[in-house]
Structures are given as C-alpha cells and as structure tokens.
Amino acid sequence: MRKKIIAGNWKMNVKPSETAALVKAIAEAVKDVQNVDVVCCTPAIDVPAAVAACKGTNVHPGAENVHWEQSGAYTGEISTGMLLDAGAEYVIVGHSERRQYFGETDETVNKRARAAIAAGLVAIVCVGETLEERDAGKLVEVIERQMKTGLKDVTAADCAKLVIAYEPVWAIGTGRTATPDQAQEVHALIRKTLAGLVGAEAAETVRIQYGGSMKPGNAAELLAKPDIDGGLIGGAALKADSFAAIIAAAK
Ligand code: PEP
C-alpha cells in the first residue's frame, strides 16, 4: 500500500508575510489526518516561514525548484544544501512551467532530481505532455523520454526519495482535468517505464501524483484509480478549505 501524498504548488503566489497564516490554516484543517502525506511547496523565499509554521503539525515544507551545484557562481539559484539548511523536506523538479518559460530540459531535470535525492530531499519529478503532443499521438513517446532521461541513473534505492507527478500541460491551471481513465492510463505507463529503469519492485513503491486542475469536486474519483497515489495541486492549494477537502478525498 502506497501512502497517498497531496502536495500544494504555490507557484509565485504567496508572500513571506502571508505564508505562516496559510500554512497554519492548512495545518488546522488537516490536524487529524494521518494516512496522507501533506506537503506545501512554496517559493524559496517563503520556505523559512513555512518551515516554522509546519513545526509540530503534520504538514511538510517543500520548495519549487533547486539547482544541482552546491555553491558557486550561479546567480539567482538555490542549492539542496540551502533548502535543507532552511528545513525544506521536498522539492518540485521539472514543473512544466519551468520547462516552458525557463528552458528546463529533461537533462537539467535529471541533474536537479539526482542532486535533490542524493542530498536527502524528496524530489517530486514532473512529467506530462502538451495538447499538441497528445493530439499528434506522441503521448507515449513524450512520457517515456521524460522518464528515461529525467530519471537516468536514479536507482532502486533512490525510490524512497522519489515522487513522480503526472501533469498533462493542457490541464494545468485551465480548469480542464484529465478523466480518471485518461490519468490512470498514463500513470500505469509511468509505473511500467519506471519499472524498466529501477525494477518492478521499487517501481511499485513510488507514489505517482496527478496534477492539473485537481479540486475538491474531482479529487475522489481520480484518487480512486489504482496508480493515482496523490495530487500536485496549484490553484486549489492556495485556500486552506479547498486544499483540505482534496486531502479529505485522499484519506
Ligand atoms: C500545478 O501547477 O502543478 C497544477 C497542477 O496547477 P493547477 O492545480 O492550478 O492546475
């Protein structure tokens, strides 16, 4: 049995001064939840406030990106050591917005994921096709390429620190959700591809989240599918009540 994991991706939305209030409201709403891992991935500048607010709760702090080098002349970047020092436990890697707007490639996703896992962070590695790719019949090819290159040299032992998020790009922030059957089909493909990389036993242990307009109204039917082990939530993670309602659907 894989423990469900619901993670919020705050994107560029919450200021440091607003962070504690949101985390505390979420923590209060989910204080009795034990069988779901609850994570808030925040902008790096919010991480210290999120870490402080998460203390003593069952909410875990995370970040939205990380660099693979430990230190040096990488203006604007943040290392795994910095995130760990601040108290982060999770980090999103390869979100489609990083790929689309900031030149992220499968190769850099791989460097970030391996650095995060080696440092002891849990890497939430995002994959997902665009609408053009889906319509052109390239879904399988794209997912396999993102998995094989993005997770190159990730081992079975690393799987304890690995979460994969399937986020169809056409469903992110659009209000358009993949149907549970569409999502399950890709989640099964992801697990099969992962099994080819790390072995079937390790692949069975890895949680695969769905992300893309998941909300209280559609979470339960998505989360009922056998290979959908959680959600990566954008818009609905910015309000404690909607985030908590999704977590309740995962319980
Ligand atoms: C995301 O950005 O990871 C996401 C899934 O966003 P939304 O829930 O708003 O579609």
Side-chain angles (χ1 to χ4, degrees):
M1 271 300 277
R2 295 177 291 269
K3 190 177 182 186
K4 294 266 195 290
I5 174 168
I6 304 292
N9 172 17
W10 289 11
K11 311 196 186 194
M12 198 173 73
N13 284 311
V14 182
K15 296 187 177 77
S17 62
E18 300 164 339
T19 295
L22 180 54
V23 171
K24 283 180 183 165
I26 291 166
E28 177 59 27
V30 304
K31 63 177 188 290
D32 297 325
V33 173
Q34 280 170 11
N35 56 352
V36 181
D37 284 330
V38 179
V39 181
C40 288
C41 293
T42 74
I45 199 165
D46 295 351
V47 166
V51 168
C54 284
K55 284 236 160 64
T57 76
N58 55 12
V59 182
H60 298 269
E64 297 174 12
N65 192 22
V66 71
H67 198 261
W68 54 88
E69 294 290 349
Q70 265 311 301
S71 61
Y74 302 99
T75 302
E77 294 295 326
I78 299 205
S79 70
T80 56
M82 291 169 179
L83 288 183
L84 286 167
D85 188 63
E89 298 171 37
Y90 290 77
V91 65
I92 298 171
V93 173
H95 191 276
S96 64
E97 288 150 17
R98 302 291 323 165
R99 295 176 189 259
Q100 196 178 344
Y101 305 131
F102 303 101
E104 193 82 63
T105 64
D106 294 328
E107 285 74 18
T108 56
V109 168
N110 181 246
K111 289 183 180 184
R112 293 182 209 279
R114 283 194 295 133
I117 291 168
L121 290 158
V122 178
I124 299 177
V125 177
C126 302
V127 298
E129 81 289 0
T130 64
L131 192 57
E132 295 68 43
E133 289 165 339
R134 179 173 271 262
D135 287 347
K138 293 188 172 159
L139 170 65
V140 174
E141 182 191 318
V142 169
I143 298 292
E144 285 184 347
R145 191 205 69 226
Q146 291 176 338
M147 291 286 298
K148 287 179 184 166
T149 309
L151 296 178
K152 186 167 176 282
D153 297 331
V154 168
T155 66
D158 292 336
C159 286
K161 293 285 182 187
L162 176 66
V163 172
I164 295 170
Y166 168 55
E167 299 209 307
V169 178
W170 46 272
I172 297 178
T174 58
R176 203 177 144 185
T177 323
T179 65
D181 286 340
Q182 278 177 322
Q184 167 58 28
E185 186 190 359
V186 185
H187 282 233
L189 168 67
I190 288 170
R191 199 173 305 285
K192 184 166 149 246
T193 311
L194 187 61
L197 299 172
V198 298
E201 203 180 318
E204 277 301 314
T205 67
V206 172
R207 276 99 49 96
I208 306 175
Q209 300 173 308
Y210 170 79
S213 300
M214 193 188 262
K215 23 184 196 284
N218 61 22
E221 51 174 358
L222 284 159
L223 292 165
K225 290 291 177 186
D227 286 294
I228 303 185
D229 307 311
L232 182 57
I233 321 295
L238 297 172
K239 294 246 159 43
D241 56 354
S242 51
F243 194 50
I246 294 171
I247 292 158
K251 278 205 290 194

